[in-house]
């Protein structure tokens, strides 16, 4: 991915990025070679011209995010497939909205404006809906952001351009994304220990008010890599051993033999169980990538949802 433009630079001079030409002195031999012709200018994202009367950074940013897509030709299929313009433009737009300083009403307005533009053209709608999925809903994306994704889903559920089948799919995603958000009580479920004893999440005893909930699949290569990192993390092992943390690893798939064969790899200090596919069948958690890590407190309230292990470690001070 190309480097994301810093919004401060965009606010300061975005209006002239696509139109300003170099104002430097011509080279010494300029005009002496009449056969030479300048290289064609590389296409640029058509940023809006910010009015010169807007001089404050916040004013310029507000105008930019409100009019970001005004000059973009959503009917140009060639432009839509140009990743350097369309995809990078989308990335820069989302980066502006995800800076942690933009009010929610302005975020909703900006995403709504993009949706209003792109939903009118089927090719554009297909491209941008995929971009929203790839960048905001994929946990491996550097821009993964369920809060923005939820705003997008709510807006598209109001779209007159989508049929009921497509809206049903978006509504299902919205319900999943809206569950187990930070600050909310984690969805309860029953799991079974290796000896067959049944227990619920809410009944699970938690040491030091911190529970690391791990949903995993030993047959998933990507899951195996992260699980091995956790299993061999001495700082995590020390935290569990000294009672600073409880780890609960839940197998969510439908191959009991694979789970049983893998139990020996789970550290003895962890709790290990299988939900017998209840979580997937009930859509209790959004398990779009494995392992899926949740950090809970002792009351089973969510502190971190589907977070990278590096963020879990940082939150725990490991």
């Amino acid at each position: 991915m190309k480097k994301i433009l810093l919004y401060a630079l965009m606010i300061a001079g975005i209006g002239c990025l696509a139109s300003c030409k170099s104002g430097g002195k011509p080279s010494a031999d300029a005009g002496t070679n009449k056969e030479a012709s300048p290289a064609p200018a590389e296409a640029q994202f058509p940023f809006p011209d910010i009015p010169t009367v807007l001089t404050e950074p916040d004013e310029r940013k507000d105008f930019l995010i409100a009019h970001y897509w005004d000059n973009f030709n959503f009917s140009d299929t060639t432009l839509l497939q140009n990743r350097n313009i369309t995809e990078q433009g989308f990335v820069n737009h989302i980066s502006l909205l995800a800076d942690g300083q933009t009010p929610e009403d302005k975020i909703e307005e900006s995403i709504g404006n993009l949706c209003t533009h792109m939903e009118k053209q089927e090719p554009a709608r297909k491209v941008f809906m995929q971009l929203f999925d790839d960048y905001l809903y994929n946990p491996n994306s550097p821009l993964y952001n369920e809060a923005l994704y939820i705003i997008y889903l709510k807006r598209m559920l109001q779209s007159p351009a989508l049929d009921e089948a497509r809206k049903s799919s978006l509504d299902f995603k919205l319900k999943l994304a809206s569950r187990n958000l930070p600050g909310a009580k984690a969805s309860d479920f029953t799991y079974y220990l290796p000896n067959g004893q049944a227990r619920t999440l809410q009944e699970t005893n938690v040491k030091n008010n911190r529970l690391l909930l791990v949903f995993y699949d030993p047959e998933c290569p990507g899951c195996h890599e992260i699980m091995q990192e956790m299993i061999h993390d001495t700082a995590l092992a020390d935290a569990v051993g000294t009672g600073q943390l409880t780890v609960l690893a839940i197998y969510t798939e439908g191959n009991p033999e694979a789970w049983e064969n893998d139990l020996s790899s789970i550290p003895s200090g962890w709790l290990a169980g299988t939900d017998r596919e209840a979580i997937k069948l009930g859509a209790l958690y959004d398990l779009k990538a494995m392992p899926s890590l949740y950090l809970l407190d002792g009351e089973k309230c969510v502190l971190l949802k589907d977070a990278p292990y590096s963020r879990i470690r940082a939150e725990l001070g490991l």
Side-chain angles (χ1 to χ4, degrees):
M1 181 191 300
K2 289 190 173 183
K3 185 178 180 181
I4 297 172
L5 296 177
L6 295 175
Y7 83 80
L9 294 178
M10 296 171 68
I11 295 168
I14 209 71
C16 67
L17 285 179
S19 59
C20 293
K21 297 182 179 179
S22 173
K25 293 182 180 180
S27 61
D29 61 349
T32 60
N33 185 354
K34 295 184 179 180
E35 294 183 358
S37 59
E42 183 178 352
Q44 301 273 351
F45 184 86
F47 293 107
D49 293 322
I50 301 178
T52 57
V53 295
L54 300 179
T55 58
E56 295 297 323
D58 287 345
E59 292 179 326
R60 296 176 68 79
K61 180 188 175 185
D62 288 347
F63 182 92
L64 175 60
I65 63 175
H67 299 274
Y68 191 91
W69 297 96
D70 285 4
N71 297 335
F72 187 88
N73 186 355
F74 288 84
S75 64
D76 186 339
T77 55
T78 301
L79 176 62
L80 289 171
Q81 298 306 318
N82 189 325
R83 295 185 62 184
N84 291 335
I85 297 178
T86 302
E87 186 170 348
Q88 189 61 43
F90 178 85
V91 166
N92 292 335
H93 180 214
I94 294 302
S95 299
L96 283 167
L97 302 181
D99 66 353
Q101 301 176 7
T102 306
E104 185 170 344
D105 61 332
K106 295 188 181 299
I107 293 175
E108 292 176 354
E109 177 187 7
S110 190
I111 290 179
N113 287 340
L114 170 55
C115 293
T116 297
H117 283 302
M118 63 86 161
E119 69 185 351
K120 299 174 183 176
Q121 306 286 340
E122 184 175 358
R125 189 166 67 246
K126 181 178 180 180
V127 166
F128 280 94
M129 291 184 74
Q130 188 64 54
L131 288 175
F132 273 108
D133 283 348
D134 290 345
Y135 281 98
L136 296 185
Y137 194 51
N138 181 348
N140 296 318
S141 164
L143 294 180
Y144 175 58
N145 190 314
E146 280 196 328
L148 295 186
Y149 191 68
I150 287 172
I151 291 174
Y152 151 75
L153 289 174
K154 289 180 177 179
R155 168 57 183 78
M156 290 307 293
L157 282 171
Q158 305 302 317
S159 174
L162 300 183
D163 59 26
E164 289 306 311
R166 191 72 176 92
K167 287 185 177 181
S168 177
S169 174
L170 295 182
D171 186 56
F172 179 73
K173 286 184 177 181
L174 176 60
K175 289 176 181 177
L176 273 180
S178 300
R179 287 177 182 164
N180 305 300
L181 293 173
K185 197 92 163 181
S187 298
D188 197 16
F189 59 88
T190 299
Y191 62 93
Y192 300 85
L193 298 172
N195 63 8
Q197 179 185 353
R199 187 179 294 176
T200 67
L201 174 65
Q202 293 301 322
E203 293 171 345
T204 302
N205 293 324
V206 175
K207 297 177 181 178
N208 197 38
N209 200 35
R210 288 296 181 269
L211 171 65
L212 175 54
L213 178 58
V214 181
F215 298 113
Y216 78 106
D217 175 10
E219 296 183 295
C220 165
C223 186
H224 178 76
E225 181 179 343
I226 299 174
M227 287 294 291
Q228 287 300 304
E229 179 185 356
M230 297 172 62
I231 289 170
H232 294 97
D233 186 341
T234 56
L236 178 64
D238 289 344
V240 173
T242 56
Q244 300 176 48
L245 171 72
T246 298
V247 178
L248 173 60
I250 299 296
Y251 173 70
T252 62
E253 304 308 301
N255 187 344
E257 184 176 351
W259 174 61
E260 291 168 1
N261 290 338
D262 185 69
L263 280 173
S264 60
S265 71
I266 300 297
S268 58
W270 296 16
L271 293 173
T274 174
D275 72 330
R276 298 179 181 175
E277 296 189 274
I279 289 173
K280 288 200 306 183
L281 294 175
L284 300 179
Y285 288 78
D286 190 0
L287 305 180
K288 52 183 173 289
M290 293 292 224
S292 186
L293 309 179
Y294 286 70
L295 185 62
L296 313 181
D297 66 14
E299 299 300 318
K300 316 306 186 301
C301 289
V302 179
L303 302 176
L304 293 178
K305 175 185 178 181
D306 200 11
Y309 183 52
S310 59
R311 189 176 175 196
I312 296 283
R313 292 187 90 258
E315 181 69 20
L316 293 172
L318 300 182

